[in-house]
Amino acid sequence: MVPALFVAHGAPTLVLEENQYTKMLKGLADRLPEPRAIVLFSAHWEAPVQMVSAVEEYEMIYDFYGFPEEMYKIVYPAKGNKDLAQKIVKLLEESGTDSKVDAERGIDHGAWVVLRLMYPDARVPVVVLSVNPALSPAEQYYIGRALAPLRKEGVMIIGSGGTVHNLHRLNWNSLEKEKWAATFDDWLQAKIEMWDTDSLFRYETEAPYGREAVPRNEHFIPLLLAMGAADDGRKADLLHREYQHGSLSLCCWKFE
């Protein structure tokens, strides 16, 4: 059975960077079973209903501004999987979650930054899914749990976002991690490793610096979705954690 992953995608330029985090991501595929397909929840696709992509081949979405010109020349030729998209819709329906198929949207940087680092040859077909910030943390988790059976069929489920993601608190000149960001992630790590979903679902009020770390939940949601997809095993391994610009968390979790 392939694991579920939560992968922080950082800033879009992560895809071009050489650091310990990108080194880990570039070698991660060699440490994991080869998936027959990937289902990826992207923090950069928000929708009020669960959207499921169903395209033959994705067009690129450069959903960022003011970055180096080379960023807008990157092409990741990801293929879709329409049959898998329909199976996802069925699993969500069986769990009581409404969903819609999208046959036009391209692939945003929340997805292609992660995938290009992990699978640079785009050999694994991908179905990208949206996130709905209006749902409760428990509801997010249950959506991930609804897709758990796919892992037994060789489908890797990835949540792409960020645990500490407050762009207003970034210190662009800092090479040291901010204490408040690390304190939040320490709390998060303890609760994840205990699989304490009750506390995780109340992170906004229980976690130290919860509101500073997660001013909006769209980047945090993919963590809960990925965890839900491993509810049957409830084993969590923190593969990497570091920070950019003081508080932008770059972490990767494996769930089995």
Side-chain angles (χ1 to χ4, degrees), residues 135-206:
L135 299 180
S136 70
E139 289 172 315
Q140 311 288 358
Y141 185 91
Y142 297 145
I143 288 174
R145 191 171 69 177
L147 302 186
L150 296 176
R151 294 178 49 233
K152 297 178 181 178
E153 301 175 13
V155 177
M156 180 180 291
I157 298 174
I158 299 177
S160 174
T163 53
V164 182
H165 191 270
N166 188 334
L167 302 185
H168 297 291
R169 294 291 300 271
L170 297 184
N171 183 344
W172 297 99
N173 298 317
S174 176
L175 298 177
E176 302 294 330
K177 64 184 178 184
E178 300 282 351
K179 183 177 179 180
W180 66 269
T183 299
F184 174 81
D185 268 343
D186 286 344
W187 179 91
L188 196 61
Q189 179 177 348
K191 301 305 179 184
I192 290 173
E193 290 176 343
M194 291 187 294
W195 215 274
D196 183 357
T197 54
D198 288 340
S199 293
L200 289 169
F201 294 165
R202 297 192 298 268
Y203 74 91
E204 289 182 286
T205 56
E206 290 197 8

Side-chain angles (χ1 to χ4, degrees), residues 41-48 50 129-133 218 221-222 225:
F41 290 92
S42 174
H44 288 275
W45 187 7
E46 297 182 41
Q50 183 63 62
L129 274 66
S130 65
V131 298
N132 182 357
E218 82 288 345
I221 288 168
L225 291 161

Side-chain angles (χ1 to χ4, degrees), residues 241-253:
R241 190 176 105 187
E242 65 179 89
Y243 298 86
Q244 288 184 320
H245 314 307
S247 63
L248 184 62
S249 178
L250 299 179
C251 64
C252 181
W253 283 92

